[in-house]
Amino acid sequence: MAKARAVTWSEPGADGLGEAVGVLREWRAEGTPAQLHPGDLGWFWRSGAAATAAAVRLWRGHGGRVLAVGLLDGPDLLRLAFAPDVRRNEELARRLAGDVTEPGHGVLPEGRVNVEAPADSPLLDLLAAEYGWRTDEPWTPLARGLADPVEEPGVRVEVVGPERAEAFAAVHRSAFGGRRFTAERWHAMAAGLPYADGRSLVAYDGRGEPVAAVAVWSAGPGRPGLLEPMGVHAGHRGRGYGAAITRAAAAALRELGASSATVSTPTANTAAVATYEAAGFHRRPETHDRYRDASNRP
């Protein structure tokens, strides 16, 4: 197993985002634990390249090789991915544990923070056993294999281009109860590097109203793809549109060459879990973040 010696971290800068996206693509593989996907960076790109670069952390080892990539997905959540040969490397895990637990290292701020990492990374156990971090609420990953064709969604679904950006944005705002996602943010997302392997879809009802939307992200042929995000307009829930747009998302990922379609949702969101299962997705073992409460800062 490769050693993680002389490990340092840095922000990539906007010019270095291509390297981060590239290694995340290379690291995704079937049969491995879920971890940060290039599509996660793609969705974050709605805030622009500069903001994305400021939220990404790269840990490099000997010779400048990237060993781990982190995304500060909001001010208090660090989501991580590791190169396959160091994912279970305890030396690297200890280095990252020191970086994430000490606010002075600049990776995470003071107060309550969360870390998401692959389930088999020793980092999670180290944070719990040696730093007193706690286990947060469970998430349910789900996946659908794409070796066989996907059934028709049963509703009209269109690929979003610039002219339909506002329809996508309107569904997203209604589904998630926010006002920040606009057509301009869709354009920023679509201009990002990961969107070269991405698509946005909108489903319409019989009256031509946009009722559901999803963004999908391929990591390249033969690799797992990602749904992020999927939402149903608040005025059109309970009519099967979530399962319909999810089937369309799986079909889009198959066209992009993905080996499977994956998604993750809080286990407590039983309606979302049921929607994905209705679209042919199967549950995988639950995952848990680790979190540091303000009371157990080192």
Side-chain angles (χ1 to χ4, degrees), residues 106-126:
V107 176
L108 282 168
E110 298 268 5
R112 165 136 183 181
V113 292
N114 280 50
V115 168
E116 172 192 297
D120 63 352
S121 169
L123 173 63
L124 299 176
D125 291 336
L126 281 170

Side-chain angles (χ1 to χ4, degrees), residues 24 39 49-50 74 77 88-89 93 106 122 135 157-158 167 201 204 206 215 242 264 290:
L24 289 175
L77 169 62
R88 290 178 286 181
N89 184 292
T135 300
V157 177
E158 296 187 358
L201 307 174
Y204 295 85
S264 188
R290 294 288 188 269

Side-chain angles (χ1 to χ4, degrees), residues 54-146:
V56 171
R57 284 91 172 90
L58 302 180
W59 279 265
R60 298 182 184 273
H62 183 68
R65 178 191 171 210
V66 177
L67 302 176
V69 177
L71 173 66
L72 195 58
D73 199 356
D76 55 6
L77 169 62
L78 181 70
R79 306 177 65 189
L80 291 163
F82 296 90
D85 62 325
V86 295
R87 192 176 67 240
R88 290 178 286 181
N89 184 292
E90 187 167 343
E91 184 182 354
L92 177 61
R94 287 190 176 279
R95 171 56 202 262
L96 266 70
D99 284 339
V100 302
T101 55
E102 179 48 64
H105 288 197
V107 176
L108 282 168
E110 298 268 5
R112 165 136 183 181
V113 292
N114 280 50
V115 168
E116 172 192 297
D120 63 352
S121 169
L123 173 63
L124 299 176
D125 291 336
L126 281 170
L127 291 175
E130 300 190 13
Y131 295 93
W133 287 43
R134 300 170 184 172
T135 300
D136 212 345
E137 297 299 316
W139 284 67
T140 296
L142 301 101
R144 173 174 176 155
L146 298 177

